[in-house]
Amino acid sequence: MKNNKFDSRNIPIKDLHLWDENPRFPDKYFKSSEEDLIKYFVTKKELKIKELAEAIVEEFDLPQIEKIVVYEYKKKLITLEGNRRLVIYKLLNNPSLTTDTVLRSFFDKIKNKVNIDNNFQIEALTTDDIEQGLRFIRRKHIQSNNEVGWGTTERAHYNTRRGNAKKIEQTQIGITKKIKELDIPEVMKEKVLGPGYVTNLFRILDSSPAKDLFGFKLEENGELSSTEKDFNEKLKVITLNVLQKKDSKGGKLNSRTLNTNEQKYNYIKSISPKDFKNATNEIDRILETDIFGNENLNLGSSKSKKSKPFSTIRKYLIPKTCILVIDNTKINNIYLELRNNLLLDDSINAVPNAVGVLFRVFLEISIDHYLSKEGITLDKRTKITDKITKTADHMYSSKIATKADLGNIRKVTNKKVGLLSIENFHEYVHSTHYQPSSSDLKLKWDNLEGFFEILWDYLNIKSTSKIKK
């Protein structure tokens, strides 16, 4: 069937070739053999070859979810989109294509569950116009196909309604229902159950301390019950605290202060009847209504907003209150140097030029590390502005951060924004006359600190959860 400059057809895997100019491959792999290309693919853990292979085998009877895209060049069928899947199909047919003995054994074991040979056909869209094929690449890998992924609550709802929910998802749905039953503004319920907040909400309530202190029980009808007589009042306090990212005493409430069961226990235990009335008054204070009757929460007042200092009072770029947990040795060393070693005060020992250059390095390699951990591969010539945009888009679509959280990091990509502009960063490295001031560097960090906290908090939680598994 024709579609513009595309044909839709089924192609045997023996006739399909990997794309040696695939952005996943370094330049040195151009014109490499299929054996070398497969060898590279299977050594990249972030490509999750085994995980995808298991999913393909498990749901082999499911129609192909998306077609591969093939470029016909001099009678050769080159797979532009779908190289990862093609590698797996080829290995399921012939595990000896990999020299990795462990992986070969893995494919030897699972290939017996499916019927694949050289003539196994894959649905494909083919074109003899490379630019048409690359349109698919841009749509999927540069624009992420404009998809918005499901968050924790949506996934739990789906599994619950399908009757496949795990106990943790049933508990989360129960908590969600309790939040929705609270006597608080609807805008608060929507916000705390949305991106940027729901993770910490569940971190507190879906924990052993919460189950013990509140006496949680999942009833046969799926409802969550509690033996705590003041549960609703305490839940209201917790909701407010999560939104304001601080406890009732003014201390920080985030992934670092809720990292252990002891921290969660102490926080929940600290909620007292005195906090009930204070929470009600605080909700009234932060709730705003516009002329059209729409309700909104003012979470950015001076009482709850982090101060951004313009002065040069602190001695280093990164304040001592900013604690990032970084699992990469080099990036962590740079972070510690900027936080503890490189002076940025008004003394003759201050090194603003060195700090400016290293700040620029810290920004880019943090972005690179995030993209790598998320399995997002870009061309090595990709500019830092495009890397930042790709990271921000991914964090937003994955509900890791909100639009507000990403506002300042997006300004870095805008040449018209002075202090935060990437051009300003570039001058630290390339200009022969421009020298950053200590106060400008600190102000720039203050504006980007929130982004770095979210990025590294997410990567740390992700890394920790993998270890626990």
Side-chain angles (χ1 to χ4, degrees), residues 264-280:
K264 296 168 191 175
Y265 179 90
N266 291 337
Y267 163 67
I268 296 171
K269 196 70 176 174
S270 72
I271 301 173
S272 67
K274 179 182 177 182
D275 298 323
F276 302 165
K277 184 177 180 180
N278 290 341
T280 299

Side-chain angles (χ1 to χ4, degrees), residues 148-244:
V148 178
W150 283 353
T152 304
T153 305
E154 289 97 330
R155 289 193 293 271
H157 273 304
Y158 173 79
N159 287 327
T160 299
R161 291 165 187 171
R162 294 291 298 167
N164 299 321
K166 299 175 182 177
K167 189 171 182 180
I168 184 174
E169 292 172 323
Q170 292 176 321
T171 302
Q172 290 172 351
I173 291 299
I175 293 168
T176 299
K177 289 180 179 179
K178 291 295 184 184
I179 292 288
K180 291 182 176 180
E181 292 169 359
L182 285 180
D183 181 23
I184 59 176
E186 287 300 316
V187 66
M188 282 189 70
K189 300 175 186 178
E190 292 175 5
K191 201 169 188 68
V192 80
L193 292 172
Y197 300 99
V198 73
T199 301
N200 275 339
L201 180 73
F202 288 155
R203 182 178 280 116
I204 296 168
L205 294 171
D206 188 22
S207 67
S208 297
K211 291 169 186 175
D212 292 340
L213 292 171
F214 292 139
F216 283 156
K217 179 184 178 182
L218 274 171
E219 305 293 346
E220 290 186 4
N221 62 1
E223 297 294 321
L224 185 70
S225 63
S226 170
T227 58
E228 167 61 56
K229 64 182 180 66
D230 292 323
F231 176 67
N232 283 352
E233 290 298 325
K234 291 188 176 182
L235 185 57
K236 185 189 297 186
V237 173
I238 292 172
T239 299
L240 176 66
N241 289 171
V242 168
L243 288 171
Q244 293 190 320

Side-chain angles (χ1 to χ4, degrees), residues 57 91 105 109 145 224 238 252 289 331 354 441 444 461:
V57 169
L91 286 170
S105 176
K109 182 178 179 180
N145 202 28
L224 185 70
I238 292 172
K252 284 188 177 183
T289 305
I331 304 176
L441 286 168
K444 183 176 290 191
I461 292 169

Side-chain angles (χ1 to χ4, degrees), residues 48-63 65 85 87-93 95 106-116 120:
K48 300 180 179 179
I49 295 296
K50 290 177 66 174
E51 291 87 342
L52 181 56
E54 287 175 330
I56 288 174
V57 169
E58 180 70 23
E59 299 177 334
F60 196 67
D61 60 330
L62 198 66
I65 293 177
R85 281 171 284 157
V87 165
I88 289 168
Y89 284 125
K90 285 180 177 286
L91 286 170
L92 284 171
N93 172 50
F106 167 78
F107 275 97
D108 272 327
K109 182 178 179 180
I110 66 171
K111 71 168 294 188
N112 296 323
K113 298 180 181 180
V114 295
N115 183 22
I116 289 182
F120 178 78

